[in-house]
Each structure stands twice: as C-alpha cells, then as structure tokens.
Amino acid sequence: EENVKQTMINLISTDLKPILAQIQTPTLIIWGRNDKVTPLSDGLIMKSLIKNSKLEIIEKAKHSPQFTHPNQVTEAIINNLAI
C-alpha cells in the first residue's frame, strides 16, 4: 500500500507538459466540470498542449465521469469517432 501511495505522489508531482506537446494522435479529452481532484484548468492546459485534441466537458460531473455519467461519456466518445 505504501508503494501505491508513493507512486501516486510521484505521478501527481510530475510535470507531463513536455510529453503532452509530443502527442500527434487525435485525442479526445473528457473532463468533469466539477472535478476537485484534477481541476478543469488542467484539462484546458492539456487541450492547449495536445495538437489536434478536443475537450469534452461533462456538466455536473466530478473526477470520474465515466462512472457517474456513463451515458454522457459514451455519447461524447461516439460523437467524436472518426468514421
């Protein structure tokens, strides 16, 4: 359990901005508007750094919209599939 805690601390304290700027694949970012763990401002930064990305904001969702708002997350994914 201590290893998991340390891994999470390392992940949170790591600046991933240089890596995000290297992503070339079209990317859909899904974010809960009321996320208190990782605020929406972080999602906006990700959107600005990942070329060819789109940010879908799930209203009234918090940190895990895939669990609390699965229909809206599914709809966002389907609506953004490249066909």
Side-chain angles (χ1 to χ4, degrees), residues 12-45:
I12 292 169
S13 65
T14 302
D15 183 7
L16 298 175
K17 286 183 247 169
I19 295 169
L20 296 175
Q22 295 175 15
I23 297 173
Q24 300 297 315
T25 305
T27 303
L28 175 61
I29 304 164
I30 300 175
W31 217 274
R33 180 171 297 282
N34 299 321
D35 189 335
K36 304 263 189 271
V37 176
T38 314
L40 180 56
S41 59
D42 287 357
L44 295 168
I45 291 169

Side-chain angles (χ1 to χ4, degrees), residues 8-79:
M8 291 304 295
I9 290 169
N10 291 343
L11 178 63
I12 292 169
S13 65
T14 302
D15 183 7
L16 298 175
K17 286 183 247 169
I19 295 169
L20 296 175
Q22 295 175 15
I23 297 173
Q24 300 297 315
T25 305
T27 303
L28 175 61
I29 304 164
I30 300 175
W31 217 274
R33 180 171 297 282
N34 299 321
D35 189 335
K36 304 263 189 271
V37 176
T38 314
L40 180 56
S41 59
D42 287 357
L44 295 168
I45 291 169
M46 290 178 69
K47 163 75 176 98
S48 72
L49 292 173
I50 301 173
K51 295 179 181 87
N52 201 15
S53 67
K54 182 174 183 182
L55 176 62
E56 287 282 340
I57 300 169
I58 306 297
E59 299 298 330
K60 299 182 182 176
K62 294 182 180 178
H63 185 66
S64 299
Q66 70 276 20
F67 300 122
T68 60
H69 296 75
N71 292 338
Q72 288 140 302
V73 170
T74 301
E75 185 177 324
I77 293 168
I78 290 170
N79 289 339

